[in-house]
Amino acid sequence: PAASASSTPDRVKRLLHLVRRFFASLLPIGPKAVDDAWAQGHLSAPEQELWTRMARVDRRHSVAVARRVEAALGEGATRPVVAAALLHDVGKTVPDLGTLGRVLATLSAMVAGEDTARHWIETRGFTRRVGQYVLYPELGVDLLRLADSDDLVTAWSREHHLPEPEWTVPVELGRVLRTADDAS
């Protein structure tokens, strides 16, 4: 999402991130029990329900992101900050695509663009799910609002693929969250 607004170095970084995530997704295992319990301890009851709906690989990735954020911020890793790291990809639960479907959706979005995905979301079947996947940050915002999540959590869900000038989250915090996400 929002790839067209990114510079070439940003696109390369995003592509490398996607390649790493693809290979990590080939092992469909979730976080360790201790990490799952740690994560749920940072989430409200409605957020915990969203967490358990996330794919195992997404939960494993999100725990790694949240642990990096916590290590980077120390005491500054408040509950909303950790929840933002844990739930930034929650919108991916809506289209419920497997690894191959996600790859096809990502490639389709790179070729056709986000505007086309907005048309796809109005269709049915696999095409609709591809459109939903491309727009998952926005779908995540809706889920998080229904879960009464903190404004920071919903903002980061929406903004985590946007360029820095478009962030509403504090820039320094967004940089920590982005760096932690890009490292996985």
Side-chain angles (χ1 to χ4, degrees), residues 1 14 53 58 88-98 101-102 104-106 108-109 113-143 157 160-161:
R14 176 82 181 127
R53 288 173 35 194
D58 291 334
H88 70 280
D89 285 337
V90 73
K92 292 179 181 180
T93 62
V94 175
D96 193 29
L97 291 172
R102 287 177 173 204
L104 291 172
T106 301
S108 298
E114 189 175 311
D115 289 339
T116 302
R118 293 191 185 286
H119 295 290
W120 292 339
I121 208 167
E122 300 298 326
T123 64
R124 296 184 181 180
F126 184 73
T127 304
R128 176 179 174 76
R129 290 169 49 207
V130 167
Q132 289 173 323
Y133 186 78
V134 173
L135 301 174
Y136 83 84
E138 296 171 28
L139 300 175
V141 168
D142 189 49
L143 294 172
S157 175
H160 72 278
H161 288 300

Side-chain angles (χ1 to χ4, degrees), residues 20-39:
R20 281 193 303 271
R21 286 291 309 274
F22 169 74
F23 284 109
S25 70
L26 296 177
L27 292 173
I29 55 175
K32 295 176 185 175
V34 67
D35 288 328
D36 187 68
W38 174 84

Side-chain angles (χ1 to χ4, degrees), residues 158-179:
R158 178 182 50 254
E159 298 168 9
H160 72 278
H161 288 300
L162 296 178
E164 243 181 64
E166 295 182 37
W167 293 350
T168 62
V169 301
V171 172
E172 291 306 318
L173 180 58
R175 287 178 180 159
V176 170
L177 287 160
R178 163 94 35 98
T179 298

Side-chain angles (χ1 to χ4, degrees), residues 4-122:
S4 60
S6 299
S7 67
T8 300
D10 288 341
R11 288 181 189 181
V12 170
K13 283 172 43 178
R14 176 82 181 127
L15 183 60
L16 290 174
H17 171 74
L18 292 172
V19 169
R20 281 193 303 271
R21 286 291 309 274
F22 169 74
F23 284 109
S25 70
L26 296 177
L27 292 173
I29 55 175
K32 295 176 185 175
V34 67
D35 288 328
D36 187 68
W38 174 84
Q40 291 201 44
H42 288 85
L43 302 172
S44 67
E47 289 172 334
Q48 288 174 8
E49 289 181 37
L50 293 176
W51 169 258
T52 60
R53 288 173 35 194
M54 290 173 63
R56 292 178 299 218
V57 297
D58 291 334
R59 284 183 283 139
R60 186 179 75 219
H61 162 72
S62 293
V63 164
V65 171
R67 293 281 196 184
R68 281 188 203 95
V69 167
E70 183 181 59
L73 294 177
E75 295 285 321
T78 62
R79 194 211 70 81
V81 171
V82 175
L86 291 168
L87 296 172
H88 70 280
D89 285 337
V90 73
K92 292 179 181 180
T93 62
V94 175
D96 193 29
L97 291 172
T99 300
L100 181 58
R102 287 177 173 204
V103 169
L104 291 172
T106 301
L107 294 173
S108 298
M110 288 177 164
V111 172
E114 189 175 311
D115 289 339
T116 302
R118 293 191 185 286
H119 295 290
W120 292 339
I121 208 167
E122 300 298 326

